[in-house]
Amino acid sequence: MDVNAAVAAAAAIAGVLTGVIAMLAFRWSERDLSRPTRTSLHTDPVLPPGVDTVLSVLRSSAVVLDEADAVVKASSAAYALGLVRGGKLAVEPMLQMARDTRRDGEIRQVELDLPKRGSGRGEALAVSARVAPLGSRLVLLLVEDLTEARRIEAVRRDFVANVSHELKTPVGALSLLSEAVMDASDDPEAVQRFAGRMQIEATRLTNLVQELIDLSRVQNDDPLEDAEPVRVDELVAEAIDRCRHQAGTKQITMAAGGHADLHVWGHRGQLAAALGNLVENAVNYSPARTRVGIAARRVNGVGGESIEIAVTDQGIGISDKDKERIFERFYRVDPARSRATGGTGLGLAIVKHVAASHGGEVTVWSSEGQGSTFTLRLPEAGAARDRAHQHPALEDESDPGAPGHTAHTSRTTSSPSPESTAYQTLSAPEVLP
């Protein structure tokens, strides 16, 4: 009997221990299941019905906090911005806003600058945070990334400021010159001199307004809506004609060459304006009695064959620090020289937008004291090229007597360095101004 009693007592004790262990294991597993995880996208039982669905379609980053400031739910965007780390809200100002809202039930909103996650360069993210109560115990935090919007706003602000400054200069000059003409009404020579200056400033103002219109047009219009095959040699001839007078005044020789019968696909007017701007810049910033070369060729690329049009000058060149900014609107390497040449600082910006809208790009090679080469690369018009191969007579369509027409030289389609491209272009047949 004593043995049986001992066995029964041992069995009872073992049963009690087993029950205690099972209960502890159950509670432990329940706590693990209730802990918020980064990848969990399921609705927690404490969330009101439908909240999970609403949060999943919001563009803003969403975080739901409970009464202990623990994260009940967070969107993947919140983790990407670094708002949530280790199941906690990592931004102290937002956490304080959540506590204040939980205490008084008021909705709060604030804009903050947060350090960019994973960046050691001091870059900041501009965000707008809005906190509102969600039920009786939860708080909802919505965060919207304003970084890109602020960048666009800064660009717009700078553009308006630059336009105002650029317009103010010729308008002010015209006002002063008109007063000078009135004061010198009895001096014909002075009147003629001031009137000449007024014509220069009026021309500069007209050019500025026109380039602003052109820049707005290439930014807003889709050039491929009115796209057509455009002959490259016609674009080159038009660009040379556009700058013939300026080149003749400075005794600059313009040369054209490259592959024959090349076509690009795009808006003829925009392409002509872009190439004309490159040639005009080359002429304006080249010393007297030098050369400006324009060469076109076909090159092979990853996306198919492209057309490269290189414009080379023998000017003073561009420094490395200026190369990265020359395509910015109103940026000038030498503002004093730009005033002398009548430049507006918009020509290269127009070229950049035209190239991008046509699926191409514009690049620059330059060496101080040796000159510069601007290369406009555009997709080739494949259909036009096929028609040209089917009808060889098209190769003789160009008029030898047309202005700017020259014999074309054959070149390899390999991609030489910018330096060799520059000197090859200058060795092209001459087109006298």
Side-chain angles (χ1 to χ4, degrees), residues 42 50 60-61 101 105 111 139 170 178 184 199 214 217 232 258 285 309 318 345 367 411:
H42 301 287
S60 305
S61 304
T101 296
E111 292 188 2
V139 173
S178 63
Q199 287 183 341
D214 293 341
R217 182 180 294 116
V232 175
Y285 290 92
I309 309 174
I318 305 171
S367 178
R411 301 227 184 104

Side-chain angles (χ1 to χ4, degrees), residues 13-195:
I13 294 173
V16 171
L17 292 176
T18 301
V20 171
I21 293 173
M23 182 179 63
L24 292 175
F26 177 78
R27 290 186 176 180
W28 184 268
S29 63
E30 285 293 312
R31 189 174 66 175
D32 284 345
L33 290 174
S34 64
R35 183 180 302 165
T37 61
R38 175 169 179 169
T39 57
S40 177
L41 297 178
H42 301 287
T43 304
D44 195 283
V46 300
L47 286 176
V51 172
D52 183 70
T53 303
V54 173
L55 296 181
S56 64
V57 299
L58 290 177
R59 295 177 57 186
S60 305
S61 304
V63 181
V64 179
L65 303 176
D66 62 13
E67 62 270 17
D69 292 334
V71 176
V72 176
K73 179 176 178 59
S75 64
S76 57
Y79 286 102
L81 288 178
L83 303 179
V84 179
R85 297 175 188 173
K88 296 290 184 180
L89 185 62
V91 183
E92 184 60 31
M94 296 182 185
L95 186 59
Q96 186 60 47
M97 288 174 56
R99 291 169 179 169
D100 295 339
T101 296
R102 186 185 301 110
R103 184 179 64 253
D104 55 24
E106 292 185 4
I107 298 175
R108 289 174 168 81
Q109 184 169 352
V110 68
E111 292 188 2
L112 300 171
D113 290 331
L114 307 179
K116 191 172 183 180
R117 190 174 184 182
S119 174
R121 297 180 296 174
E123 298 181 359
L125 291 174
V127 299
S128 174
R130 184 178 179 87
V131 180
L134 185 63
S136 60
R137 296 183 303 155
L138 303 180
V139 173
L140 173 63
L141 170 66
L142 297 177
V143 180
E144 185 176 358
D145 188 356
L146 303 178
T147 307
E148 183 64 15
R150 283 194 180 180
R151 187 193 67 81
I152 295 175
E153 176 63 20
V155 171
R156 185 196 65 80
R157 215 168 33 242
D158 292 342
F159 180 74
V160 172
N162 288 331
V163 169
S164 301
H165 175 75
E166 294 296 332
L167 290 174
K168 181 180 178 180
T169 301
V171 170
L174 286 172
S175 177
L176 293 175
L177 289 169
S178 63
E179 293 179 4
V181 169
M182 293 178 62
D183 294 339
S185 57
D186 56 347
D187 187 351
E189 293 183 1
V191 170
Q192 185 175 5
R193 184 172 67 254
F194 292 142

Side-chain angles (χ1 to χ4, degrees), residues 198-209:
M198 291 178 68
Q199 287 183 341
I200 295 175
E201 295 299 333
T203 301
R204 179 178 299 174
L205 182 59
T206 301
N207 293 338
L208 176 58
V209 173

Side-chain angles (χ1 to χ4, degrees), residues 207 239-252 254 276 279-281 283-284 286 341 433:
N207 293 338
I240 291 177
D241 284 341
R242 169 177 168 177
C243 305
R244 189 175 298 276
H245 176 72
Q246 298 97 307
T249 303
K250 299 173 66 175
Q251 299 181 10
I252 292 176
M254 288 187 289
V279 176
E280 186 176 19
N281 269 3
V283 171
N284 288 338
S286 291
T341 58

Side-chain angles (χ1 to χ4, degrees), residues 338-349:
S338 296
R339 285 193 296 269
T341 58
T344 63
L346 290 174
L348 292 180

